[in-house]
């Protein structure tokens, strides 16, 4: 019997953020998203960002 291991898909280190209109590092996105939401900074483009939430969840699962 042969077991096949499935490799986890590695997230990209950077991605284009359409809200900031620039390339952003994953760790920068997670930091900005968490800070904006935990400190309730409503004027931040990262506040309640659906893509930031997705990046944070993917980061947490790696």
């Amino acid at each position: 019997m042969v077991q096949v291991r499935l490799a986890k898909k590695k997230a990209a280190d950077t991605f284009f953020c359409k809200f900031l209109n620039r390339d952003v590092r994953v760790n920068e996105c997670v930091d900005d998203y968490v800070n904006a939401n935990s400190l309730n900074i409503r004027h931040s483009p990262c506040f309640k960002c659906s893509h930031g939430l997705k990046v944070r969840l993917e980061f947490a699962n790696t």
Side-chain angles (χ1 to χ4, degrees):
M1 180 178 201
V2 177
Q3 288 184 330
V4 178
R5 292 184 183 209
L6 298 176
K8 277 190 171 182
K9 182 179 169 185
K10 185 179 181 221
D13 293 333
T14 62
F15 65 94
F16 183 78
C17 176
K18 64 182 179 182
F19 298 109
L20 297 176
N21 199 30
R22 65 179 173 89
D23 286 332
V24 178
R25 292 186 320 269
V26 170
N27 60 337
E28 179 184 357
C29 175
V30 171
D31 288 345
D32 291 347
Y33 175 83
V34 170
N35 287 336
N37 288 283
S38 64
L39 300 174
N40 204 24
I41 304 172
R42 295 179 184 268
H43 64 274
S44 170
C46 301
F47 183 73
K48 302 279 184 173
C49 174
S50 60
H51 189 73
L53 175 61
K54 180 181 173 186
V55 169
R56 180 177 175 265
L57 291 173
E58 287 178 7
F59 181 79
N61 287 328
T62 59

